[in-house]
Structures are given as structure tokens and as C-alpha cells.
Amino acid sequence: MLTLAEALERLLAGAVAPAEREILPTAEALGRVLAEDLISPVAVPPADNGAMDGYAVRAADAGLERAVSQRVPAGSWPEPLAPDSVARLFTGAPLPPGADAVVMQEHCRTREDESGRVWVRLPDAIAAGQHVRRRGEDIAVGGTVLRAGTALGPAALGLAASAGAAQLLVRRRLRVALFSTGDELVMPGQPLPPGAIYNSNRYTLRALLEALGCAVQDLGVVPDRLDATVAALREAAQGNDLILTSGGVSVGEEDHVKPAVQQLGRLELWQVAIKPGKPFAQGAVRRADGGEALFVGLPGNPVSSFVTFLLLARPLLLACMGVRATAPRRVRLPAGFAWTRPDPKRQEFLRVRLQADGSLALHPNQGSGVLSSLAFADYLAVLAPGLAVQPGDALEVLSLLELTTLP
């Protein structure tokens, strides 16, 4: 069996991002992948400005009373600060030339004289630069706002907009064909005959793909026959970058995916040393035009399918989308449980939940068909082969929230 690291290395070696790009309005680019570095034509902020409502002052005037010489709201442009004066300044307003600090209005005492002029008593200590946002402190003119390969989330879109980018050059969506195999599978909403089960993989895998921004062609359920599997793969290869299947990749007599892929292209059938999720297949299916679509075959058991998608298919998909960062972060949290029956040969991924006391609770049933363990979990706890766990042990964990969204 390959280790997870070995399988990932082989997978990512074959990842190729589509060359096609398109220009989208920034407001419509959520979930897309930036195709080129975004360089800023402006400084952000464009001028020194106040971070607080208060007064723009000379720090050297600390402890003195000064008259208010001008009022500067956001969106206006100030005059130079007159000698022996302060400027009434509002959050985000440009700092008047000659001022070097902002004092919060709460820290000043004001009075109005007989002529209606406002005077401000400044605090005894003022630090030059306090409560001032410097020009270009967020983004410098000519600075790189976002790198090519950035998955565009809300913060990235806001940052692009702050640099004045009305549109962005992005990679086209990755096209993925999806189907399940198995005569026992019935779609929700249909009667459930004896020996059948409802098809959950179609829903989890489609949701996972769409959460990554893939364009999904859902081909439903394919019967457990070689001719039907070949026909489904041939259809899936046309117009798609990758084919994702669940079920049929083991070594049973009713597992037809392996010979079907070999008939239409090439296949590496891997056994990966992870639990759940040992059966995993990867290869490619030829298209009629001479090109090929990558192929990934996941196990049929719902938890195995879900976990192998997160650990193996997701990094491949991100690499094919042109995303720069594909490796999930790992953190350490204390176990609130004991695990005394470790697998001696496979790396295990236990479904765990964070408790109020900061420790991890283990779902009581870690079976590969128990989908409720994933709905229960916040994290996958990563156990090396043969590793037993006692309460209080620090465990390496992967966040399911991070693994099911764009990085």
C-alpha cells in the first residue's frame, strides 16, 4: 500500500490546470481562481488619514489649548494645518499637511468662546503618528494585491476592490463529471426495495465539488455492468477535465470501473494505507478528440468516499484549478477519549468533535458506512499507524470546515 504522502505526490504530478481564462466583474468572481498577479495602480489608503473621530494635531502641542481651524469630514480634502490650531477630523478623513497625530475626541476638553470659536484642550501626552493610517500602509503603488492562484473569497474580493479593480482575470471553472456505481443504489424520494440503499454519495460529492467552484455534470447512477460503465465513462470524458466516481474500484466481481477505465485509457489502482478509504483509483480516460480527462475513483462506503475525497481528490482538484495552496493546515488539540485498538499498518482518520472544555470527543461508531460520524465531527484526528491514544494526548487534527471549502 502507498502512504498518503506517496499517493498525493503521484496525484499532483499529473495535475494540469486548464489554460482558458476569462474576465469577470469583481463582484461576480467569488469562488474563482485568479489567473494572474493583481498589481495595484494606487496606494491604499491613498493618503494619510485618521483612524478615529477626533482632532488632527501637532504632537508637540500636547497639553496646550488650541483653536479649531477647519473641519475635515471623510471624502473632503483639507487645507494645511494653520499654526497654533487643530483640525476637527472624522474617521477616514485625510490628515491635513502639518498635522502628525490624531487625538480621540474622548481625550480632549472643548469650549466655545464669545465669538463662537471652538477651543480644544489637548492631553498631556501625544505620540507622533498615533491613530494615523499611513498612505500605502495596506497596499503600495505597484504592489502585488493578490497572487495568481488565489482562490477568491470575500476578503480577497474586497481587497481587489480596495485597489480599484473592477474586473479580474480568472481561470475558467474546472469541469467535473460525477457518477456512482451500484445496482443497490436508489435515489431519495423513490421507494426503497429490499436490498437497496439510498444514494448519499451523489449528494455529498456533488456538494463538495460545488463548494470548490467546480462545474459539475451529474450523470447519476450507473448499473453494475461493464458495458454501462464504459458508456458512462465515454460520455463523461467529453467536455470534462476530470471524472469522479464512487464505488466499483475494489476487486470484486461486480467492480467494473477498473476494466472500463483500462479499456478507454489508463489506470493506476492504488491501495492507500489510510483508514477509512483504502481502495482508491486514479488514471485517465481518452476523449474522441485525442485528449484525455483525468479519472479519480473513490470507494463506495460513504465515510470512505468522503474522507478520500478530502485527502486525495481535493488536493488534485485544487491543483487542476490552478490554486497555489493545496495542503491543509494541521493543528494539535487534546484528546478527551481513549483509542486502544489502532490499526498497525494504516494511518487513521477519526471523526472527532471539539468540546466546551477544549478537548476532542470521539464519535462512538467509526465505521466506514456511518455517515452520522461526519455530521457529528468538526475535525479528523490523524493517527499514525499503531498509535494508541489516552485522554490528554495531543492529537494532530484537520479541520473539516477548511477541508470542505476553498483555501
Side-chain angles (χ1 to χ4, degrees):
M1 291 186 289
L2 294 177
T3 66
L4 177 61
E6 291 168 339
L8 276 172
E9 183 178 3
R10 293 195 191 184
L11 272 175
L12 297 180
V16 179
E20 298 96 321
R21 305 173 177 191
E22 57 184 318
I23 295 174
L24 289 180
T26 300
E28 298 176 14
L30 181 65
R32 304 300 289 273
V33 178
L34 196 64
E36 66 178 7
D37 289 354
L38 178 62
I39 307 300
S40 180
V42 298
V44 182
D48 292 354
N49 68 86
M52 301 283 181
D53 288 343
Y55 298 92
V57 306
R58 295 178 177 88
D61 289 345
L64 301 176
E65 188 177 60
R66 294 295 190 231
V68 177
S69 59
Q70 59 177 309
R71 183 178 184 273
V72 190
S76 65
W77 191 254
E79 298 293 329
L81 188 63
D84 300 328
S85 77
V86 298
R88 180 73 167 109
L89 195 78
F90 296 88
T91 303
L95 198 69
D100 61 3
V102 174
V103 178
M104 297 171 61
Q105 60 190 25
E106 298 95 320
H107 297 165
C108 298
R109 297 196 306 272
T110 62
R111 68 176 179 87
E112 187 175 326
D113 64 18
E114 296 81 359
S115 67
R117 194 174 194 190
V118 177
W119 294 78
V120 177
R121 173 70 65 178
L122 299 176
D124 292 336
I126 302 174
Q130 72 179 33
H131 305 313
V132 175
R133 301 171 179 145
R134 294 300 183 189
R135 178 180 187 272
E137 72 173 28
D138 192 1
I139 303 169
V141 176
T144 301
V145 182
L146 296 167
R147 293 285 184 190
T150 298
L152 296 169
L157 294 179
L159 186 61
S162 75
Q167 56 189 25
L168 297 169
L169 182 67
V170 300
R171 292 187 181 274
R172 72 156 169 81
R173 292 188 186 278
L174 196 70
R175 301 174 187 135
V176 181
L178 172 68
F179 65 84
S180 305
T181 65
D183 290 338
E184 77 279 13
L185 298 177
V186 174
M187 295 308 300
Q190 298 177 353
L192 192 66
I197 58 171
Y198 285 120
N199 183 4
S200 62
N201 286 347
R202 181 180 185 183
Y203 291 82
T204 55
L205 295 177
R206 179 167 180 165
L208 287 166
L209 289 168
E210 290 178 345
L212 294 182
C214 299
V216 181
Q217 182 185 8
D218 189 342
L219 299 178
V221 179
V222 174
D224 278 330
R225 300 195 319 270
L226 178 60
D227 62 333
T229 307
V230 168
L233 287 170
R234 186 177 285 119
E235 178 185 356
Q238 306 308 311
N240 289 297
D241 304 299
L242 186 141
I243 303 166
L244 183 71
T245 68
S246 63
V249 294
S250 191
V251 292
E253 294 178 1
E254 298 300 321
D255 293 319
H256 299 294
V257 172
K258 178 182 178 181
V261 174
Q262 290 172 324
Q263 181 175 326
L264 297 174
R266 55 186 173 85
L267 178 71
E268 294 185 51
L269 185 65
W270 297 339
Q271 288 190 333
V272 184
I274 59 175
K275 181 180 180 179
K278 182 173 69 172
F280 180 83
Q282 190 273 331
V285 175
R286 288 188 303 273
R287 302 192 189 98
D289 62 6
E292 63 179 24
L294 291 177
F295 169 79
V296 171
L298 305 180
N301 279 322
V303 178
S304 299
S305 177
F306 201 104
V307 170
T308 51
F309 180 95
L310 299 183
L311 299 178
L312 292 162
R314 178 180 182 270
L316 175 61
L317 289 163
L318 292 175
C320 290
M321 292 163 61
V323 176
R324 287 188 303 122
T326 60
R329 293 173 296 174
R330 298 189 179 203
V331 299
R332 298 181 74 84
L333 292 171
F337 62 90
W339 184 253
T340 58
R341 52 183 190 281
D343 190 298
K345 296 182 179 180
R346 291 190 284 171
Q347 191 176 25
E348 294 186 88
F349 293 85
L350 306 180
R351 278 75 72 202
V352 294
R353 172 188 282 179
L354 188 64
Q355 302 183 105
D357 64 0
S359 68
L360 298 169
L362 180 73
H363 191 275
N365 191 332
Q366 294 288 314
S368 61
V370 183
L371 198 54
S372 57
S373 67
L374 282 166
F376 161 93
D378 301 317
Y379 296 95
L380 295 176
V382 185
L383 273 59
L387 179 67
V389 177
Q390 294 299 323
D393 290 351
L395 299 181
E396 197 171 68
V397 298
L398 298 169
S399 165
L400 283 172
L401 178 61
E402 182 177 337
L403 286 171
T404 53
T405 55
L406 277 170

PDB file of all heavy atoms in Angstrom, residues 121-153:
ATOM      1  N   ARG A 121      -8.611  71.617  24.521  1.00  0.00           N
ATOM      2  CA  ARG A 121      -7.504  71.340  25.428  1.00  0.00           C
ATOM      3  C   ARG A 121      -6.997  69.931  25.138  1.00  0.00           C
ATOM      4  O   ARG A 121      -7.718  68.939  25.283  1.00  0.00           O
ATOM      5  CB  ARG A 121      -7.958  71.442  26.870  1.00  0.00           C
ATOM      6  CG  ARG A 121      -6.923  71.008  27.896  1.00  0.00           C
ATOM      7  CD  ARG A 121      -5.744  71.958  28.006  1.00  0.00           C
ATOM      8  NE  ARG A 121      -6.161  73.266  28.518  1.00  0.00           N
ATOM      9  CZ  ARG A 121      -5.316  74.272  28.743  1.00  0.00           C
ATOM     10  NH1 ARG A 121      -4.014  74.109  28.478  1.00  0.00           N
ATOM     11  NH2 ARG A 121      -5.763  75.430  29.213  1.00  0.00           N
ATOM     12  N   LEU A 122      -5.728  69.840  24.711  1.00  0.00           N
ATOM     13  CA  LEU A 122      -5.153  68.556  24.316  1.00  0.00           C
ATOM     14  C   LEU A 122      -4.612  67.809  25.526  1.00  0.00           C
ATOM     15  O   LEU A 122      -4.213  68.438  26.516  1.00  0.00           O
ATOM     16  CB  LEU A 122      -4.030  68.780  23.299  1.00  0.00           C
ATOM     17  CG  LEU A 122      -4.457  69.448  21.991  1.00  0.00           C
ATOM     18  CD1 LEU A 122      -3.232  69.712  21.116  1.00  0.00           C
ATOM     19  CD2 LEU A 122      -5.468  68.599  21.246  1.00  0.00           C
ATOM     20  N   PRO A 123      -4.562  66.477  25.466  1.00  0.00           N
ATOM     21  CA  PRO A 123      -3.983  65.705  26.585  1.00  0.00           C
ATOM     22  C   PRO A 123      -2.492  65.977  26.720  1.00  0.00           C
ATOM     23  O   PRO A 123      -1.840  66.469  25.790  1.00  0.00           O
ATOM     24  CB  PRO A 123      -4.266  64.251  26.191  1.00  0.00           C
ATOM     25  CG  PRO A 123      -4.478  64.268  24.722  1.00  0.00           C
ATOM     26  CD  PRO A 123      -5.068  65.606  24.390  1.00  0.00           C
ATOM     27  N   ASP A 124      -1.957  65.637  27.880  1.00  0.00           N
ATOM     28  CA  ASP A 124      -0.564  65.964  28.186  1.00  0.00           C
ATOM     29  C   ASP A 124       0.444  65.139  27.395  1.00  0.00           C
ATOM     30  O   ASP A 124       1.601  65.554  27.266  1.00  0.00           O
ATOM     31  CB  ASP A 124      -0.307  65.779  29.686  1.00  0.00           C
ATOM     32  CG  ASP A 124      -1.057  66.795  30.529  1.00  0.00           C
ATOM     33  OD1 ASP A 124      -1.377  67.877  29.997  1.00  0.00           O
ATOM     34  OD2 ASP A 124      -1.353  66.485  31.708  1.00  0.00           O
ATOM     35  N   ALA A 125       0.042  63.984  26.913  1.00  0.00           N
ATOM     36  CA  ALA A 125       0.974  63.122  26.165  1.00  0.00           C
ATOM     37  C   ALA A 125       0.348  62.742  24.819  1.00  0.00           C
ATOM     38  O   ALA A 125      -0.756  62.191  24.783  1.00  0.00           O
ATOM     39  CB  ALA A 125       1.313  61.873  26.963  1.00  0.00           C
ATOM     40  N   ILE A 126       1.048  63.083  23.744  1.00  0.00           N
ATOM     41  CA  ILE A 126       0.604  62.723  22.387  1.00  0.00           C
ATOM     42  C   ILE A 126       1.805  62.135  21.658  1.00  0.00           C
ATOM     43  O   ILE A 126       2.875  62.759  21.604  1.00  0.00           O
ATOM     44  CB  ILE A 126       0.069  63.941  21.607  1.00  0.00           C
ATOM     45  CG1 ILE A 126      -1.096  64.599  22.357  1.00  0.00           C
ATOM     46  CG2 ILE A 126      -0.359  63.518  20.204  1.00  0.00           C
ATOM     47  CD1 ILE A 126      -1.578  65.891  21.714  1.00  0.00           C
ATOM     48  N   ALA A 127       1.644  60.948  21.090  1.00  0.00           N
ATOM     49  CA  ALA A 127       2.710  60.315  20.315  1.00  0.00           C
ATOM     50  C   ALA A 127       2.533  60.642  18.835  1.00  0.00           C
ATOM     51  O   ALA A 127       1.432  60.508  18.286  1.00  0.00           O
ATOM     52  CB  ALA A 127       2.697  58.802  20.520  1.00  0.00           C
ATOM     53  N   ALA A 128       3.596  61.098  18.235  1.00  0.00           N
ATOM     54  CA  ALA A 128       3.535  61.368  16.797  1.00  0.00           C
ATOM     55  C   ALA A 128       3.129  60.088  16.065  1.00  0.00           C
ATOM     56  O   ALA A 128       3.664  59.009  16.328  1.00  0.00           O
ATOM     57  CB  ALA A 128       4.880  61.862  16.297  1.00  0.00           C
ATOM     58  N   GLY A 129       2.172  60.202  15.168  1.00  0.00           N
ATOM     59  CA  GLY A 129       1.691  59.056  14.389  1.00  0.00           C
ATOM     60  C   GLY A 129       0.540  58.300  15.008  1.00  0.00           C
ATOM     61  O   GLY A 129       0.000  57.384  14.377  1.00  0.00           O
ATOM     62  N   GLN A 130       0.119  58.669  16.220  1.00  0.00           N
ATOM     63  CA  GLN A 130      -0.953  57.912  16.853  1.00  0.00           C
ATOM     64  C   GLN A 130      -2.266  58.095  16.098  1.00  0.00           C
ATOM     65  O   GLN A 130      -2.596  59.188  15.646  1.00  0.00           O
ATOM     66  CB  GLN A 130      -1.110  58.306  18.322  1.00  0.00           C
ATOM     67  CG  GLN A 130      -1.705  59.672  18.577  1.00  0.00           C
ATOM     68  CD  GLN A 130      -1.866  59.990  20.062  1.00  0.00           C
ATOM     69  OE1 GLN A 130      -1.062  59.559  20.882  1.00  0.00           O
ATOM     70  NE2 GLN A 130      -2.901  60.730  20.398  1.00  0.00           N
ATOM     71  N   HIS A 131      -2.987  56.989  15.942  1.00  0.00           N
ATOM     72  CA  HIS A 131      -4.301  56.958  15.291  1.00  0.00           C
ATOM     73  C   HIS A 131      -4.259  57.506  13.860  1.00  0.00           C
ATOM     74  O   HIS A 131      -5.236  58.070  13.377  1.00  0.00           O
ATOM     75  CB  HIS A 131      -5.341  57.706  16.120  1.00  0.00           C
ATOM     76  CG  HIS A 131      -5.463  57.224  17.521  1.00  0.00           C
ATOM     77  ND1 HIS A 131      -5.548  55.889  17.839  1.00  0.00           N
ATOM     78  CD2 HIS A 131      -5.468  57.902  18.709  1.00  0.00           C
ATOM     79  CE1 HIS A 131      -5.636  55.749  19.158  1.00  0.00           C
ATOM     80  NE2 HIS A 131      -5.569  56.949  19.713  1.00  0.00           N
ATOM     81  N   VAL A 132      -3.096  57.329  13.207  1.00  0.00           N
ATOM     82  CA  VAL A 132      -2.943  57.755  11.814  1.00  0.00           C
ATOM     83  C   VAL A 132      -2.713  56.520  10.955  1.00  0.00           C
ATOM     84  O   VAL A 132      -1.832  55.702  11.240  1.00  0.00           O
ATOM     85  CB  VAL A 132      -1.770  58.736  11.641  1.00  0.00           C
ATOM     86  CG1 VAL A 132      -1.563  59.065  10.160  1.00  0.00           C
ATOM     87  CG2 VAL A 132      -2.018  60.011  12.433  1.00  0.00           C
ATOM     88  N   ARG A 133      -3.521  56.388   9.909  1.00  0.00           N
ATOM     89  CA  ARG A 133      -3.280  55.346   8.905  1.00  0.00           C
ATOM     90  C   ARG A 133      -2.413  55.955   7.810  1.00  0.00           C
ATOM     91  O   ARG A 133      -2.809  56.931   7.168  1.00  0.00           O
ATOM     92  CB  ARG A 133      -4.602  54.865   8.300  1.00  0.00           C
ATOM     93  CG  ARG A 133      -5.592  54.292   9.300  1.00  0.00           C
ATOM     94  CD  ARG A 133      -6.919  54.080   8.603  1.00  0.00           C
ATOM     95  NE  ARG A 133      -7.937  53.503   9.454  1.00  0.00           N
ATOM     96  CZ  ARG A 133      -9.229  53.804   9.383  1.00  0.00           C
ATOM     97  NH1 ARG A 133      -9.643  54.713   8.498  1.00  0.00           N
ATOM     98  NH2 ARG A 133     -10.094  53.223  10.182  1.00  0.00           N
ATOM     99  N   ARG A 134      -1.254  55.380   7.586  1.00  0.00           N
ATOM    100  CA  ARG A 134      -0.319  55.947   6.626  1.00  0.00           C
ATOM    101  C   ARG A 134      -0.673  55.594   5.184  1.00  0.00           C
ATOM    102  O   ARG A 134      -1.184  54.508   4.897  1.00  0.00           O
ATOM    103  CB  ARG A 134       1.103  55.468   6.932  1.00  0.00           C
ATOM    104  CG  ARG A 134       1.657  55.980   8.263  1.00  0.00           C
ATOM    105  CD  ARG A 134       1.714  57.487   8.289  1.00  0.00           C
ATOM    106  NE  ARG A 134       2.298  57.989   9.530  1.00  0.00           N
ATOM    107  CZ  ARG A 134       2.293  59.267   9.860  1.00  0.00           C
ATOM    108  NH1 ARG A 134       1.739  60.171   9.056  1.00  0.00           N
ATOM    109  NH2 ARG A 134       2.830  59.655  11.003  1.00  0.00           N
ATOM    110  N   ARG A 135      -0.369  56.506   4.285  1.00  0.00           N
ATOM    111  CA  ARG A 135      -0.576  56.263   2.850  1.00  0.00           C
ATOM    112  C   ARG A 135       0.162  54.994   2.445  1.00  0.00           C
ATOM    113  O   ARG A 135       1.339  54.813   2.726  1.00  0.00           O
ATOM    114  CB  ARG A 135      -0.067  57.453   2.042  1.00  0.00           C
ATOM    115  CG  ARG A 135      -0.209  57.271   0.531  1.00  0.00           C
ATOM    116  CD  ARG A 135       0.328  58.488  -0.217  1.00  0.00           C
ATOM    117  NE  ARG A 135       0.052  58.396  -1.644  1.00  0.00           N
ATOM    118  CZ  ARG A 135       0.846  57.807  -2.537  1.00  0.00           C
ATOM    119  NH1 ARG A 135       1.996  57.265  -2.134  1.00  0.00           N
ATOM    120  NH2 ARG A 135       0.516  57.769  -3.815  1.00  0.00           N
ATOM    121  N   GLY A 136      -0.577  54.086   1.781  1.00  0.00           N
ATOM    122  CA  GLY A 136       0.028  52.860   1.269  1.00  0.00           C
ATOM    123  C   GLY A 136       0.368  51.826   2.317  1.00  0.00           C
ATOM    124  O   GLY A 136       1.035  50.835   1.993  1.00  0.00           O
ATOM    125  N   GLU A 137      -0.087  51.997   3.573  1.00  0.00           N
ATOM    126  CA  GLU A 137       0.283  51.013   4.588  1.00  0.00           C
ATOM    127  C   GLU A 137      -0.371  49.659   4.334  1.00  0.00           C
ATOM    128  O   GLU A 137       0.129  48.626   4.762  1.00  0.00           O
ATOM    129  CB  GLU A 137      -0.057  51.514   5.990  1.00  0.00           C
ATOM    130  CG  GLU A 137      -1.535  51.555   6.335  1.00  0.00           C
ATOM    131  CD  GLU A 137      -1.788  51.911   7.799  1.00  0.00           C
ATOM    132  OE1 GLU A 137      -0.967  52.608   8.414  1.00  0.00           O
ATOM    133  OE2 GLU A 137      -2.832  51.471   8.322  1.00  0.00           O
ATOM    134  N   ASP A 138      -1.496  49.633   3.627  1.00  0.00           N
ATOM    135  CA  ASP A 138      -2.128  48.364   3.256  1.00  0.00           C
ATOM    136  C   ASP A 138      -1.551  47.863   1.938  1.00  0.00           C
ATOM    137  O   ASP A 138      -1.054  46.736   1.844  1.00  0.00           O
ATOM    138  CB  ASP A 138      -3.642  48.545   3.157  1.00  0.00           C
ATOM    139  CG  ASP A 138      -4.387  47.225   3.068  1.00  0.00           C
ATOM    140  OD1 ASP A 138      -3.738  46.168   3.105  1.00  0.00           O
ATOM    141  OD2 ASP A 138      -5.626  47.245   2.952  1.00  0.00           O
ATOM    142  N   ILE A 139      -1.579  48.717   0.914  1.00  0.00           N
ATOM    143  CA  ILE A 139      -1.063  48.346  -0.407  1.00  0.00           C
ATOM    144  C   ILE A 139      -0.282  49.525  -0.964  1.00  0.00           C
ATOM    145  O   ILE A 139      -0.788  50.651  -1.011  1.00  0.00           O
ATOM    146  CB  ILE A 139      -2.205  47.987  -1.381  1.00  0.00           C
ATOM    147  CG1 ILE A 139      -3.075  46.860  -0.812  1.00  0.00           C
ATOM    148  CG2 ILE A 139      -1.645  47.573  -2.736  1.00  0.00           C
ATOM    149  CD1 ILE A 139      -4.362  46.644  -1.598  1.00  0.00           C
ATOM    150  N   ALA A 140       0.941  49.275  -1.413  1.00  0.00           N
ATOM    151  CA  ALA A 140       1.754  50.317  -2.027  1.00  0.00           C
ATOM    152  C   ALA A 140       1.449  50.411  -3.518  1.00  0.00           C
ATOM    153  O   ALA A 140       1.010  49.432  -4.144  1.00  0.00           O
ATOM    154  CB  ALA A 140       3.236  50.024  -1.817  1.00  0.00           C
ATOM    155  N   VAL A 141       1.671  51.578  -4.109  1.00  0.00           N
ATOM    156  CA  VAL A 141       1.547  51.719  -5.562  1.00  0.00           C
ATOM    157  C   VAL A 141       2.492  50.719  -6.227  1.00  0.00           C
ATOM    158  O   VAL A 141       3.676  50.634  -5.885  1.00  0.00           O
ATOM    159  CB  VAL A 141       1.892  53.153  -6.009  1.00  0.00           C
ATOM    160  CG1 VAL A 141       1.866  53.251  -7.532  1.00  0.00           C
ATOM    161  CG2 VAL A 141       0.928  54.153  -5.404  1.00  0.00           C
ATOM    162  N   GLY A 142       1.989  49.927  -7.150  1.00  0.00           N
ATOM    163  CA  GLY A 142       2.800  48.910  -7.804  1.00  0.00           C
ATOM    164  C   GLY A 142       2.963  47.638  -7.004  1.00  0.00           C
ATOM    165  O   GLY A 142       3.642  46.708  -7.442  1.00  0.00           O
ATOM    166  N   GLY A 143       2.338  47.579  -5.846  1.00  0.00           N
ATOM    167  CA  GLY A 143       2.440  46.385  -5.022  1.00  0.00           C
ATOM    168  C   GLY A 143       1.526  45.277  -5.510  1.00  0.00           C
ATOM    169  O   GLY A 143       0.529  45.521  -6.203  1.00  0.00           O
ATOM    170  N   THR A 144       1.861  44.044  -5.151  1.00  0.00           N
ATOM    171  CA  THR A 144       1.037  42.893  -5.522  1.00  0.00           C
ATOM    172  C   THR A 144      -0.115  42.774  -4.535  1.00  0.00           C
ATOM    173  O   THR A 144       0.098  42.547  -3.350  1.00  0.00           O
ATOM    174  CB  THR A 144       1.865  41.607  -5.532  1.00  0.00           C
ATOM    175  OG1 THR A 144       2.944  41.744  -6.460  1.00  0.00           O
ATOM    176  CG2 THR A 144       1.004  40.415  -5.932  1.00  0.00           C
ATOM    177  N   VAL A 145      -1.315  42.935  -5.049  1.00  0.00           N
ATOM    178  CA  VAL A 145      -2.518  42.855  -4.211  1.00  0.00           C
ATOM    179  C   VAL A 145      -2.857  41.397  -3.926  1.00  0.00           C
ATOM    180  O   VAL A 145      -3.079  40.996  -2.780  1.00  0.00           O
ATOM    181  CB  VAL A 145      -3.700  43.555  -4.909  1.00  0.00           C
ATOM    182  CG1 VAL A 145      -4.945  43.531  -4.026  1.00  0.00           C
ATOM    183  CG2 VAL A 145      -3.346  44.983  -5.294  1.00  0.00           C
ATOM    184  N   LEU A 146      -2.921  40.594  -4.970  1.00  0.00           N
ATOM    185  CA  LEU A 146      -3.242  39.173  -4.860  1.00  0.00           C
ATOM    186  C   LEU A 146      -2.372  38.405  -5.848  1.00  0.00           C
ATOM    187  O   LEU A 146      -2.143  38.872  -6.970  1.00  0.00           O
ATOM    188  CB  LEU A 146      -4.722  38.917  -5.179  1.00  0.00           C
ATOM    189  CG  LEU A 146      -5.753  39.537  -4.228  1.00  0.00           C
ATOM    190  CD1 LEU A 146      -7.148  39.473  -4.857  1.00  0.00           C
ATOM    191  CD2 LEU A 146      -5.746  38.818  -2.885  1.00  0.00           C
ATOM    192  N   ARG A 147      -1.906  37.239  -5.442  1.00  0.00           N
ATOM    193  CA  ARG A 147      -1.085  36.403  -6.301  1.00  0.00           C
ATOM    194  C   ARG A 147      -1.948  35.539  -7.214  1.00  0.00           C
ATOM    195  O   ARG A 147      -3.049  35.125  -6.840  1.00  0.00           O
ATOM    196  CB  ARG A 147      -0.197  35.488  -5.455  1.00  0.00           C
ATOM    197  CG  ARG A 147       0.867  36.213  -4.639  1.00  0.00           C
ATOM    198  CD  ARG A 147       1.985  36.685  -5.505  1.00  0.00           C
ATOM    199  NE  ARG A 147       3.060  37.290  -4.713  1.00  0.00           N
ATOM    200  CZ  ARG A 147       4.072  37.949  -5.254  1.00  0.00           C
ATOM    201  NH1 ARG A 147       4.148  38.089  -6.574  1.00  0.00           N
ATOM    202  NH2 ARG A 147       5.011  38.475  -4.490  1.00  0.00           N
ATOM    203  N   ALA A 148      -1.434  35.268  -8.401  1.00  0.00           N
ATOM    204  CA  ALA A 148      -2.073  34.279  -9.269  1.00  0.00           C
ATOM    205  C   ALA A 148      -2.201  32.971  -8.505  1.00  0.00           C
ATOM    206  O   ALA A 148      -1.290  32.571  -7.776  1.00  0.00           O
ATOM    207  CB  ALA A 148      -1.256  34.082 -10.539  1.00  0.00           C
ATOM    208  N   GLY A 149      -3.339  32.311  -8.662  1.00  0.00           N
ATOM    209  CA  GLY A 149      -3.580  31.078  -7.930  1.00  0.00           C
ATOM    210  C   GLY A 149      -4.335  31.285  -6.641  1.00  0.00           C
ATOM    211  O   GLY A 149      -4.604  30.324  -5.925  1.00  0.00           O
ATOM    212  N   THR A 150      -4.706  32.535  -6.340  1.00  0.00           N
ATOM    213  CA  THR A 150      -5.502  32.803  -5.145  1.00  0.00           C
ATOM    214  C   THR A 150      -6.949  32.420  -5.394  1.00  0.00           C
ATOM    215  O   THR A 150      -7.546  32.835  -6.395  1.00  0.00           O
ATOM    216  CB  THR A 150      -5.427  34.290  -4.763  1.00  0.00           C
ATOM    217  OG1 THR A 150      -4.072  34.632  -4.461  1.00  0.00           O
ATOM    218  CG2 THR A 150      -6.312  34.599  -3.559  1.00  0.00           C
ATOM    219  N   ALA A 151      -7.523  31.629  -4.498  1.00  0.00           N
ATOM    220  CA  ALA A 151      -8.952  31.352  -4.549  1.00  0.00           C
ATOM    221  C   ALA A 151      -9.674  32.568  -3.977  1.00  0.00           C
ATOM    222  O   ALA A 151      -9.400  32.999  -2.857  1.00  0.00           O
ATOM    223  CB  ALA A 151      -9.280  30.096  -3.737  1.00  0.00           C
ATOM    224  N   LEU A 152     -10.592  33.115  -4.737  1.00  0.00           N
ATOM    225  CA  LEU A 152     -11.165  34.417  -4.415  1.00  0.00           C
ATOM    226  C   LEU A 152     -12.354  34.278  -3.471  1.00  0.00           C
ATOM    227  O   LEU A 152     -13.464  33.945  -3.876  1.00  0.00           O
ATOM    228  CB  LEU A 152     -11.573  35.134  -5.707  1.00  0.00           C
ATOM    229  CG  LEU A 152     -10.400  35.461  -6.641  1.00  0.00           C
ATOM    230  CD1 LEU A 152     -10.907  35.931  -8.003  1.00  0.00           C
ATOM    231  CD2 LEU A 152      -9.494  36.516  -6.017  1.00  0.00           C
ATOM    232  N   GLY A 153     -12.097  34.533  -2.198  1.00  0.00           N
ATOM    233  CA  GLY A 153     -13.144  34.593  -1.196  1.00  0.00           C
ATOM    234  C   GLY A 153     -13.573  36.028  -0.967  1.00  0.00           C
ATOM    235  O   GLY A 153     -13.083  36.960  -1.628  1.00  0.00           O
TER     236      GLY A 153
END
